[in-house]
Amino acid sequence: MKKYPVVLAFSLFLTVISCTGKDQKSSDAPTENVTAETADGKIKTEEISYGINGVTHRSYAAYNPDLQGELPVVFVLPEWWGLTDYVKGRVRQLAKLGYYAVAVDYYGEGKVVETPEEAQKLSSHFYNIPIDARRMFDAVKNKIIITPNANYNKMAIIGYCFGGSQALNMARLSGDFKGVVSFHGNLKTGIRAKNNKAKYLVLNGAADKMVSKEEIEAFKKEMDSAKINYKFVDYPNALHAFTNPDATETGKKFNLPIAYDRQADEQSFNEMKSFLADVFK
């Protein structure tokens, strides 16, 4: 397996260290299936459990049971903290939009980590060995195939920070997706872009100190060379982790140049909504 250069590994560390979870309480306990009333109707949440190398993984899914037929599937790849309440909230948002949404449990047992050191240790494995990240996705995908509420032929993948870069890699490693969305993710992922007909939406903070201008230009050149259909959006003055309401507090805690940006958060969410509606036509 090819190793990343030291500079790239350090760049990845700086990028993923900034990712922040909405609520870092442990999710180790199994989650029961729950149906709750929302302003947009009923949303049912459920745990999708499966074993990988002797470890039980507990991905988190949500959908509206009042909607008839099979629903388009949106996989949500979390920040490096794991299955936090933040990423679960994003899953429920997508369910309200009419999708079968599922957050992928990378670490097993629905684990949520408490420190940047532990998060960096666990997440770096998937940068260094991308095929293991693919195995994580394939395991939950195989469960989705037999889920009656999910349309296996209409799938997209989105991700935040660590999950944003992993979403880019999964789209490059798999031809299963109609579209991929990266929110403030690293762009130098170690897997070369290839044209497999998936559409890309990359949502970046223009003031993000974790993603350099050189990295952006190299990414665009790579995508153009592969003739990939993509849209790159820069949000003025937005720093890294701009979609997470806890980013400002976490930035102060760890002395990192990250912050929540409400305008960029709302605009990027709307970009994603339009993008998903288009790819699932």
Side-chain angles (χ1 to χ4, degrees):
M1 177 61 62
K2 184 178 180 180
K3 298 291 186 179
Y4 283 123
V6 173
V7 173
L8 174 54
F10 182 68
S11 173
L12 293 175
F13 174 76
L14 288 178
T15 299
V16 295
I17 196 172
S18 64
C19 298
T20 171
K22 173 68 175 173
D23 186 339
Q24 295 178 27
K25 295 178 181 178
S26 174
S27 301
D28 290 351
T31 302
E32 295 182 356
N33 293 355
V34 176
T35 302
E37 293 286 348
T38 73
D40 302 301
K42 294 178 182 177
I43 295 298
K44 183 174 183 178
T45 63
E46 57 189 16
E47 179 184 280
I48 301 177
S49 60
Y50 45 93
I52 302 176
N53 296 330
V55 177
T56 299
H57 290 250
R58 306 182 187 280
S59 291
Y60 177 85
Y63 64 97
N64 185 342
D66 288 342
L67 297 178
Q68 300 298 311
E70 296 179 339
L71 306 176
V73 179
V74 181
F75 292 93
V76 184
L77 306 188
E79 299 169 312
W80 73 338
W81 298 110
L83 284 188
T84 61
D85 285 349
Y86 170 72
V87 72
K88 290 180 179 180
R90 292 298 187 185
V91 166
R92 293 191 296 272
Q93 280 183 308
L94 288 161
K96 292 177 185 178
L97 295 177
Y99 301 116
Y100 185 94
V102 53
V104 178
D105 177 12
Y106 273 83
Y107 302 151
E109 298 295 348
K111 185 178 181 62
V112 175
V113 302
E114 300 292 338
T115 67
E117 291 77 18
E118 184 181 9
Q120 192 274 335
K121 178 180 178 180
L122 293 176
S123 63
S124 63
H125 172 82
F126 300 104
Y127 283 113
N128 293 327
I129 310 177
I131 194 64
D132 279 0
R134 171 70 185 271
R135 291 191 185 102
M136 293 295 160
F137 168 73
D138 284 346
V140 69
K141 181 185 72 174
N142 291 337
K143 299 289 286 189
I144 295 300
I145 292 174
I146 59 175
T147 300
N149 307 94
N151 187 341
Y152 179 70
N153 294 311
K154 287 187 174 182
M155 297 195 302
I157 187 166
I158 75 171
Y160 297 84
C161 291
F162 160 73
S165 61
Q166 292 302 312
L168 294 176
N169 270 358
M170 287 304 98
R172 294 170 178 185
L173 290 169
S174 171
D176 293 324
F177 304 108
K178 300 290 185 182
V180 54
V181 184
S182 172
F183 291 86
H184 42 76
N186 185 264
L187 304 177
K188 193 184 297 182
T189 65
I191 300 293
R192 294 289 298 175
K194 63 179 179 180
N195 191 336
N196 56 12
K197 306 305 180 184
K199 294 182 178 179
Y200 287 64
L201 175 62
V202 180
L203 305 167
N204 183 68
D208 191 339
K209 294 178 174 58
M210 306 296 181
V211 181
S212 69
K213 292 182 179 179
E214 291 76 16
E215 184 174 342
I216 292 172
E217 290 307 311
F219 173 79
K220 291 180 177 179
K221 182 177 180 180
E222 179 184 348
M223 298 289 276
D224 290 336
S225 297
K227 295 181 169 52
I228 290 176
N229 185 339
Y230 76 100
K231 180 178 181 180
F232 189 98
V233 182
D234 258 337
Y235 293 102
N237 305 314
L239 294 172
H240 197 69
F242 62 79
T243 64
N244 194 311
D246 278 358
T248 303
E249 180 180 347
T250 301
K252 292 178 180 177
K253 181 178 180 180
F254 295 108
N255 193 28
L256 295 168
I258 64 175
Y260 177 64
D261 188 309
R262 181 180 296 277
Q263 184 176 22
D265 179 22
E266 293 175 352
Q267 289 179 352
S268 62
F269 189 80
N270 288 331
E271 280 278 358
M272 179 200 67
K273 284 171 60 177
S274 298
F275 176 82
L276 292 177
D278 178 63
V279 300
F280 286 140
K281 280 190 213 176

